[in-house]
Amino acid sequence: MRCLDLRTDARVRRTLSPPKVLSFGFALIIVTGTFLLSLPISSDGRHLPLLDAFFMATSATCVTGLTVLDPGTELSLFGQLVLLVLTQLGGLGFMTMGTLIALAFNRRISLRERLILQEAMNYNSMEGLLSLIRRVILYSFVIEMTGALLLSIRWSMDMSLPRAIYFGIYHSITMFNNAGFDLFGAIHGPFSGLSGYVRDPFVNVVIMSLIFLGGIGFVVLSDLIEFPSKRKLSLHSKVVLSYSAVLVVGGAFLIYIMERSNKLTMQPLGEGGSILSSLFQSISSRSGGVSTLNVTDMEHSTQFLLIILMFIGAAPGSTGGGIKVTVFAVLIGAMWAMIKGKDDIVLFQRRLAKDSIIKAVTQTWLALFLVIFVAMVLSVLEDRGFLPLLFETTSAFGTTGMSLGLTSTLTPISKIIICLVMFLGRVGPLTLAYALAPRSTKDLYRYPEGRITIG
């Protein structure tokens, strides 16, 4: 009987493809987090409602940052630490952490585990994969601890040293993992975010750097660190860095233009404060989720711009979500190639493979359909305007965490829907489609080519 059980377990493991393993792994972390957050010790002796615990666990594991409660005032130290661990696991990935433990005990990493890691990291090859994992852990630790040190020094001027160190470590980890959870509700009032530091260039620059470094992806980080010796960047890194720069600068410029005369947001800040806050909102909206301005007070045009930035999101293999900046680059390249009458999509003098183009288009359509469909469903369930509901849905899909104040007031069924969207945004709609789809077989024939009129 024991041998039969072992053979059954082995067959189950073989039938679980890498996308299925990733999906089930994140789901298991969410369930564990829900149990821990629902304990009385997580909220100073009172039982957190199960749905709220589930929502917070999902948001942390999917590194989103949407909250139905204020972590700084409604969670105990234990609850805050549970949220932090879930954020770290969700950001770096449970397979990355598992591989680190296996390597620490000198355990051999199987081919199947390498395939799962390749899927988790969005890496194109298994060559050098374990070396990349080691670098991911090292870079993450160094960046998070550097950010923690800088923030602790700055906040020690505003609070006691032990609290400043705790706040520094906590916010460095959540910002690098693009989760956006903050504890400043305990100081500036619930859901206040970083509004108290809107004019502080030091805090703004440190947190923007953490969000940006977490959002460009570990492959790009590795390329940048090795650039002085190798003197070259991969095509992937060139695309991510160039298009990220365009989105950050372009987004900041548009936010500044639309908000500089808004009396509720930028007008009282002066020229320097307006430029700084424009840049912060542009970087954070791509996946960071924390804000130095009240997003509810922004112009509708600015809110819609933030929806676009949240939908595009961060880079593949990063702690961020969205359709990914490389997909956006492929779509722009396709449009440019069509306008110029070219057959190939060329980026940095490299022709893109057909399967990359098809995958980019598929991922975009799946994401667009998901966001629009969920926003329409929420508009039926909630007595709200469509723009706030679209904003909330896109924020959940892009694992961004920005909100127009709807999250805590949503009906239970709407909260569950948002949790599902956060999960889809983290694992990726295409990954989930691969996980749920039946095993594909290669067609033995091809249909004759046909033409339809386009445009």
Side-chain angles (χ1 to χ4, degrees):
M1 182 64 72
R2 177 65 178 166
C3 293
L4 181 61
D5 291 341
L6 290 174
R7 285 197 298 270
T8 303
D9 290 343
R11 281 198 301 270
V12 171
R13 287 195 297 269
R14 283 197 298 269
T15 57
L16 290 179
S17 62
K20 287 180 181 178
V21 172
L22 291 177
S23 301
F24 291 153
F26 276 112
L28 182 60
I29 295 173
I30 290 171
V31 171
T32 305
T34 301
F35 169 74
L36 293 174
L37 288 175
S38 64
L39 297 175
I41 192 176
S42 293
S43 50
D44 293 326
R46 66 183 182 87
H47 278 285
L48 202 65
L50 188 62
L51 180 56
D52 289 351
F54 174 67
F55 192 100
M56 295 299 291
T58 304
S59 185
T61 305
C62 299
V63 288
T64 304
L66 285 174
T67 62
V68 292
L69 51 84
D70 180 66
T73 57
E74 298 186 61
L75 291 181
S76 65
L77 176 62
F78 178 82
Q80 292 170 3
L81 291 177
V82 168
L83 212 62
L84 189 65
V85 171
L86 293 175
T87 298
Q88 187 75 84
L89 284 175
L92 294 184
F94 68 94
M95 280 302 300
T96 304
M97 304 299 290
T99 303
L100 175 66
I101 296 171
L103 292 173
F105 286 96
N106 293 319
R107 190 176 76 80
R108 182 176 173 274
I109 308 299
S110 68
L111 176 61
R112 176 174 176 72
E113 289 167 336
R114 290 169 190 254
L115 287 170
I116 297 172
L117 279 169
Q118 184 182 355
E119 179 76 23
M121 299 297 297
N122 278 291
Y123 200 50
N124 293 326
S125 171
M126 280 193 289
E127 184 180 354
L129 186 59
L130 294 184
S131 175
L132 175 64
I133 296 299
R134 292 189 183 96
R135 295 198 299 272
V136 164
I137 300 297
L138 176 62
Y139 299 160
S140 300
F141 178 79
V142 170
I143 292 171
E144 288 176 352
M145 289 304 101
T146 302
L149 177 63
L150 294 174
L151 292 175
S152 298
I153 293 171
R154 169 62 186 87
W155 287 333
S156 64
M157 303 175 187
D158 300 336
M159 57 189 79
S160 65
L161 183 58
R163 193 177 203 184
I165 294 173
Y166 176 60
F167 269 47
I169 294 173
Y170 198 98
H171 291 88
S172 180
I173 292 175
T174 59
M175 298 307 162
F176 176 71
N177 286 288
N178 281 210
F181 291 114
D182 72 271
L183 304 178
F184 283 98
I187 298 177
H188 302 136
F191 303 104
S192 56
L194 292 173
S195 57
Y197 294 95
V198 64
R199 299 174 187 268
D200 191 316
F202 186 86
V203 172
N204 276 256
V205 170
V206 171
I207 290 181
M208 282 191 292
S209 300
L210 288 169
I211 293 173
F212 183 79
L213 291 174
I216 60 176
F218 297 113
V219 174
V220 179
L221 269 179
S222 180
D223 265 8
L224 286 176
I225 292 172
E226 295 175 358
F227 180 75
S229 58
K230 290 187 175 181
R231 308 302 300 175
K232 66 176 183 178
L233 293 173
S234 65
L235 174 62
H236 172 79
S237 296
K238 290 178 182 178
V239 171
V240 168
L241 292 172
S242 59
Y243 277 82
S244 293
V246 169
L247 288 169
V248 167
V249 175
F253 175 74
L254 292 175
I255 291 171
Y256 172 79
I257 293 297
M258 291 185 285
E259 288 295 320
R260 62 178 178 172
S261 59
N262 189 336
K263 296 179 181 179
L264 299 176
T265 55
M266 287 188 189
Q267 192 182 65
L269 301 179
E271 196 68 21
S274 296
I275 294 174
L276 185 64
S277 59
S278 297
L279 190 60
F280 190 97
Q281 279 25 262
S282 179
I283 291 176
S284 184
S285 63
R286 295 255 319 287
S287 198
V290 69
S291 179
T292 55
L293 299 174
N294 190 338
V295 183
T296 309
D297 292 332
M298 290 181 177
E299 304 289 349
H300 287 169
S301 55
T302 309
Q303 293 171 354
F304 190 74
L305 172 64
L306 295 181
I307 288 174
I308 296 173
L309 293 175
M310 290 190 295
F311 185 76
I312 295 172
S318 72
T319 57
I323 61 171
K324 302 296 187 293
V325 66
T326 48
V327 171
F328 176 71
V330 171
L331 297 178
I332 295 296
M335 181 181 69
W336 183 249
M338 180 61 66
I339 292 173
K340 299 288 287 184
K342 304 291 185 181
D343 292 330
D344 298 322
I345 298 176
V346 178
L347 297 176
F348 292 96
Q349 300 180 337
R350 291 292 184 273
R351 174 174 54 86
L352 297 186
K354 181 182 177 182
D355 62 328
S356 297
I357 300 168
I358 294 175
K359 187 175 181 180
V361 173
T362 304
Q363 187 160 311
T364 303
W365 273 112
L366 283 173
L368 191 61
F369 175 79
L370 173 68
V371 168
I372 293 175
F373 177 75
V374 171
M376 290 172 62
V377 171
L378 291 181
S379 68
V380 175
L381 298 174
E382 304 286 333
D383 186 19
R384 309 278 183 169
F386 187 74
L387 182 62
L389 293 172
L390 180 62
F391 193 99
E392 194 84 6
T393 305
T394 310
S395 179
F397 168 75
T399 66
T400 304
M402 284 187 171
S403 176
L404 297 182
L406 268 68
T407 312
S408 58
T409 62
L410 292 174
T411 59
I413 184 64
S414 296
K415 289 179 181 178
I416 293 173
I417 291 173
I418 291 294
C419 285
L420 179 60
V421 175
M422 287 191 287
F423 181 78
L424 288 171
R426 183 65 184 104
V427 302
L430 198 56
T431 299
L432 194 68
Y434 287 151
L436 298 178
R439 184 172 297 178
S440 60
T441 56
K442 188 174 180 64
D443 291 334
L444 301 178
Y445 56 89
R446 295 180 69 187
Y447 290 102
E449 184 179 276
R451 290 186 176 275
I452 60 174
T453 303
I454 303 293

